[in-house]
């Protein structure tokens, strides 16, 4: 089929999340590997959402290297936002550190922030240390 | 944070799926609305995957509050690549409405998705290791849905 069939897709940088983590636990089970990496805090910043990561509100519950994080954010106006983020870890970068491709989903109250719960997002993420954190840049699909 | 560099993100066209749906069932229960839409047939084509959607191998088990306010898709199907490989797809995303440029005053349904795949070790296992995003729309004459998937580089 011709490339002419392929519609263009537009991505807009929406916001970034710094997710501080601590106390990672991981083990190998009979069916799959399991990670529990609690979220200790962090910030949300950027053009379309500002706020904080609610400390101790959740964790990454990754299985077989597929991230599956569940946690709460709070917008700067006080609105509670639930986030479920899935992501793939890629272990090949020049300096040997992993990078991630993520897709967050949100639930919010009806109102100013409910576009978050109707929009598909993808993002990049990298792991940083001292202190342990994930830095994620999130893009909205138009 | 002022000096933080926001990296770009690049997409590469991966494949398209043309799907035919025969039944569309939905109802509103005590907690939420539920949809059941099984695939009657589908064709996969494009540079990175060719094959078919296995008819009645699953459905979109969508949820919604009111259909007019948008739908949260959650599809479970099987695909089969041209080389015979079985591939599981879990398509998650949203069906929203936007103004229809061809029919003033009307809206049309469009889809945004982030599918997850499972595939056996071999030529198609990249599907189970790669973030993919998809767009889609419902088309008429004949009634079908057209999906376009992109690999996130």
């Amino acid at each position: 089929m011709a490339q002419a069939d392929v519609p263009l897709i537009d991505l807009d940088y929406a916001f970034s999340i710094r997710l501080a983590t601590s106390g990672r636990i991981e083990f190998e089970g009979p069916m799959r590997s399991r990670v529990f990496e609690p979220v200790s805090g962090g910030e949300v910043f950027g053009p379309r959402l500002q706020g904080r990561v609610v400390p101790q509100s959740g964790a990454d519950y990754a299985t077989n290297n597929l991230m599956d994080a569940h946690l709460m954010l709070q917008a700067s106006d006080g609105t509670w936002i639930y986030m479920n983020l899935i992501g793939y870890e890629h272990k090949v970068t020049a300096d040997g550190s992993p990078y991630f491709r993520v897709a967050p989903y949100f639930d919010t109250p009806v109102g100013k922030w409910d576009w978050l719960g109707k929009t598909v997002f993808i993002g990049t993420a990298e792991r940083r240390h001292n202190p342990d954190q994930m830095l994620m840049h999130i893009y909205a699909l138009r | 944070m002022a000096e933080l560099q926001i990296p770009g993100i690049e997409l590469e066209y991966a494949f398209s799926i043309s799907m035919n749906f025969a039944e569309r069932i939905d109802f509103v229960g005590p907690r939420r609305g539920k949809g059941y839409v099984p695939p009657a047939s589908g064709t996969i084509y494009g540079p990175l995957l060719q094959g078919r959607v296995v008819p009645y191998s699953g459905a979109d088990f969508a949820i919604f509050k009111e259909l007019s306010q948008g739908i949260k898709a959650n599809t479970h199907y099987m695909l089969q690549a041209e080389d015979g490989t079985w591939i599981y797809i879990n398509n998650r995303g949203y069906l929203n409405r936007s103004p229809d440029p061809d029919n003033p005053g009307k809206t049309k349904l469009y889809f945004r998705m982030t599918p997850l795949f499972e595939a056996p070790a071999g030529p198609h296992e990249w599907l189970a290791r790669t973030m993919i995003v998809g767009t889609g729309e419902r088309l008429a004459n004949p009634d079908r849905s057209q999906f376009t998937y992109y690999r996130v580089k």
Side-chain angles (χ1 to χ4, degrees):
Chain A
M1 292 275 180
Q3 286 284 119
D5 285 338
V6 181
L8 290 172
I9 185 168
D10 284 312
L11 292 167
D12 297 314
Y13 170 60
F15 48 86
S16 298
I17 305 174
R18 192 183 71 82
L19 205 66
T21 64
S22 65
R24 178 184 173 97
I25 294 169
E26 56 181 293
F27 57 78
E28 199 64 45
M31 298 292 179
R32 56 189 183 176
S33 67
R34 168 67 69 180
V35 167
F36 170 67
E37 185 164 3
V39 169
S40 52
E43 303 86 40
V44 184
F45 55 93
R48 296 185 73 186
L49 180 65
Q50 305 83 39
R52 66 176 187 133
V53 177
V54 179
Q56 319 302 340
S57 61
D60 177 22
Y61 303 90
T63 53
N64 293 347
N65 295 323
L66 183 68
M67 280 182 79
D68 186 13
H70 299 262
L71 57 122
M72 295 298 290
L73 309 178
Q74 190 172 30
S76 52
D77 66 1
T79 304
W80 296 107
I81 301 168
Y82 164 80
M83 177 169 82
N84 171 217
L85 178 134
I86 53 167
Y88 291 101
E89 180 172 353
H90 298 279
K91 294 181 189 294
V92 280
T93 51
D95 64 358
S97 61
Y99 68 97
F100 300 81
R101 292 292 178 263
V102 300
Y105 281 84
F106 301 95
D107 282 337
T108 74
V110 173
K112 178 181 174 185
W113 299 106
D114 63 10
W115 67 276
L116 290 166
K118 301 175 179 175
T119 303
V120 167
F121 298 90
I122 57 171
T124 64
E126 59 182 291
R127 193 180 281 285
R128 293 183 175 184
H129 299 287
N130 300 316
D132 288 345
Q133 55 188 292
M134 296 275 289
L135 184 61
M136 305 189 288
H137 304 297
I138 306 299
Y139 298 78
L141 263 71
R142 248 185 251 170
Chain B
M1 298 283 180
E3 73 282 8
L4 185 71
Q5 293 291 310
I6 308 298
I9 191 164
E10 281 186 64
L11 302 177
E12 174 191 13
Y13 171 56
F15 52 87
S16 300
I17 305 183
S18 183
M19 295 254 266
N20 299 301
F21 300 106
E23 300 88 347
R24 286 189 173 86
I25 296 171
D26 59 78
F27 58 81
V28 177
R31 287 178 295 119
R32 61 186 185 182
K34 189 75 190 168
Y36 166 76
V37 183
S41 64
T43 304
I44 307 165
Y45 58 92
L48 298 185
L49 185 66
Q50 305 84 39
R52 67 182 184 118
V53 178
V54 179
Y56 296 96
S57 58
D60 181 6
F61 301 93
I63 60 171
F64 57 89
K65 197 169 188 181
E66 290 174 33
L67 278 177
S68 61
Q69 290 180 359
I71 300 162
K72 189 168 186 182
N74 184 21
T75 78
H76 302 267
Y77 306 143
M78 293 302 287
L79 312 179
Q80 190 173 28
E82 248 171 23
D83 64 7
T85 304
W86 297 105
I87 298 164
Y88 163 79
I89 178 172
N90 173 210
N91 224 342
R92 310 199 311 170
Y94 297 109
L95 282 65
N96 290 323
R97 290 189 174 276
S98 65
D100 184 348
D102 300 325
N103 292 293
K106 297 265 176 72
T107 60
K108 67 174 187 178
L109 209 53
Y110 69 98
F111 314 141
R112 294 289 182 269
M113 307 282 192
T114 56
L116 297 177
F117 296 90
E118 288 180 25
H124 302 292
E125 71 176 77
W126 68 275
L127 287 164
R129 299 177 185 277
T130 305
M131 186 61 73
I132 292 173
V133 297
T135 65
E137 59 181 333
R138 252 187 94 172
L139 302 172
N141 301 317
D143 180 12
R144 66 197 190 281
S145 294
Q146 183 71 27
F147 297 89
T148 309
Y149 291 99
Y150 305 81
R151 180 173 78 90
V152 181
K153 287 195 196 172

